[in-house]
Amino acid sequence: MHKGRITKEGIRIYSDADFEGMQAAGKLAAHILDSIAPLVAVGATTEEIDTAITDMVDDAGARSATIGYKGYQHASCISVNHVVCHGIPGPKVLKDGDILNVDVTVIVDGWFGDTSRMYVAGRLNRKAERLIQVTHDALMKGIEQVKPGNTFGDIGYAIQRYVEAHRMSVVRDFCGHGLGRVFHAPPNVLHYGRPGTGALLEEGMFFTIEPMVNLGRPETKVLADDWTAVTRDKSLSAQFEHSVGVTADGCEIFTLSPANMFHPTYA
Ligand code: MF3
Ligand code: CO
Ligand code: CO
């Protein structure tokens, strides 16, 4: 498979041994997301959750990929309600019914594990639950397309089709990305698209899929802090992210929840 090669689209082809590096990094990131579930509660602040994440990364002897990344200061992004992504942890107190995405990227022996999932403080209301379920299922529909011979457009199309069939919208302003021994590498993994378009998937490619789905319109804007992205129409937004590797006949998800806690109501 010409391991170590870079495709014409700039995508690195990793070796079988490299999968082990990604497994360790992905497992730690996913385990951290499992571990914070009890901390997400009415009255908690997002910085308390982030501090716990920082401590878990340290205790594991790993590093946070986000601390120091383009000036970002935290071990996680925590995006509450209409925040689409890149929410900065802070003194904001969670209230009953708030939904939040927590996104963690760790570096283990030089390998990057990047994953996010949704949580709820207190009671999950029906429309938020539906948004979260559709977003999670859309990610899994995209992952089902990951196999050699398919294209990145097949992934985006599967996600977009599923989301729009449920009368929700896919955010266009942010995308997934190649990763491995670096945080963000080619390609841009779009969560919308046309079947058969884009680069061909090949065994040994590592990348994230991380669809953001809005109950309202897809447009976003970035706040004055230069990080926090929100829905322009203030509608509720959700996101799930997995890091995956293309195998000979499909894909391996590096960031599956070790405790099977991928859904907020399972916490
Ligand atoms: N983890 C995010 C991603 O999925 C990137 C966060 S960069 C940060 O790609 F600086 F905002 F943390
Ligand atoms: Co990512
Ligand atoms: Co992420």
Side-chain angles (χ1 to χ4, degrees):
M1 287 292 150
H2 312 287
K3 304 294 162 65
R5 176 170 69 91
I6 310 276
T7 71
K8 64 178 190 295
E9 297 90 359
I11 306 167
R12 179 172 289 276
I13 305 299
Y14 288 96
S15 72
D16 291 350
D18 296 338
F19 276 75
E20 287 166 35
M22 290 299 286
Q23 285 159 5
K27 188 173 179 177
L28 176 62
H31 172 69
I32 289 171
L33 290 187
D34 286 353
S35 304
I36 59 160
L39 303 179
V40 179
V42 174
T45 66
T46 55
E47 68 196 356
E48 287 165 9
I49 298 166
D50 180 72
T51 299
I53 293 169
T54 305
D55 292 345
M56 280 186 265
V57 174
D58 289 348
D59 291 348
R63 281 176 45 214
S64 164
T66 54
I67 296 174
Y69 176 77
K70 295 185 179 173
Y72 195 78
Q73 308 266 3
H74 305 274
S76 64
C77 297
I78 303 186
S79 302
V80 182
N81 294 337
H82 74 297
V83 179
V84 172
C85 64
H86 301 165
I88 302 173
K92 182 182 173 67
V93 176
L94 296 173
K95 57 186 198 312
D96 190 38
D98 281 346
I99 61 165
L100 46 149
N101 174 276
V102 181
D103 190 339
V104 172
T105 311
V106 297
I107 313 172
V108 177
D109 294 332
W111 295 97
F112 286 67
D114 186 4
T115 184
S116 80
R117 64 176 94 129
M118 296 301 295
Y119 300 82
V120 63
R123 294 165 296 187
L124 183 59
N125 71 60
R126 283 241 284 282
K127 75 176 199 304
E129 178 164 24
R130 192 166 160 269
L131 169 67
I132 290 169
Q133 189 70 53
V134 167
T135 308
H136 179 266
D137 293 349
L139 168 60
M140 300 318 284
K141 293 279 178 198
I143 290 174
E144 279 174 21
Q145 294 297 318
V146 180
K147 58 179 172 214
N150 276 3
T151 69
F152 281 93
D154 294 328
I155 299 172
Y157 175 72
I159 293 167
Q160 180 182 11
R161 186 178 127 103
Y162 188 80
V163 168
E164 292 178 355
H166 289 84
R167 309 211 159 279
M168 299 178 193
S169 64
V170 173
V171 170
R172 309 289 208 274
D173 302 335
F174 300 92
C175 56
H177 48 92
L179 84 173
R181 265 199 247 269
V182 291
F183 196 172
H184 293 109
N188 287 331
V189 180
L190 306 182
H191 305 114
Y192 59 93
R194 292 275 132 229
T197 63
L200 211 51
L201 294 163
E202 292 184 53
E203 183 182 356
M205 289 179 174
F206 296 160
F207 53 89
T208 73
I209 308 178
E210 47 183 300
M212 286 139 274
V213 175
N214 300 345
L215 276 182
R217 295 199 45 84
E219 291 81 11
T220 69
K221 67 175 178 189
V222 175
L223 300 185
D225 62 21
D226 277 345
W227 283 104
T228 312
V230 300
T231 55
R232 281 196 176 261
D233 65 4
K234 303 272 168 49
S235 68
L236 218 50
S237 187
Q239 179 179 26
F240 284 86
E241 175 176 25
H242 275 312
S243 297
V244 305
V246 184
T247 61
D249 57 359
C251 90
E252 176 172 350
I253 304 174
F254 298 123
T255 47
L256 282 176
S257 165
N260 215 23
M261 290 164 70
F262 58 88
H263 191 278
T265 57
Y266 300 166

